[in-house]
Amino acid sequence: MEFLRELWDFLKERKKWWLLPIVIVLLLIGILILVGGNSAVAPFVYPMF
């Protein structure tokens, strides 16, 4: 959680707002992989890729 706070502070301080969509997409893909790999949702997640 501290990493996300530091990343947010970096984006605010350096005005690197173009990085925000990239970070959000990477987080969503990571969550999708975690959920899809360990549950009954896996057969429905894999056809998306």
Side-chain angles (χ1 to χ4, degrees):
M1 209 54 185
E2 185 178 336
F3 172 74
L4 293 177
R5 180 171 293 143
E6 288 182 17
L7 180 63
W8 177 252
D9 290 340
F10 171 78
L11 292 175
K12 276 185 9 182
E13 184 176 326
R14 307 285 175 145
K15 306 289 191 233
K16 303 267 185 200
W17 298 115
W18 56 273
L19 286 173
L20 195 58
I22 296 170
V23 171
I24 291 172
V25 167
L26 288 174
L27 285 173
L28 290 175
I29 289 173
I31 291 170
L32 187 63
I33 289 172
L34 286 175
V35 169
N38 297 327
S39 70
V41 182
F44 301 107
V45 172
Y46 291 128
M48 294 172 64
F49 297 104

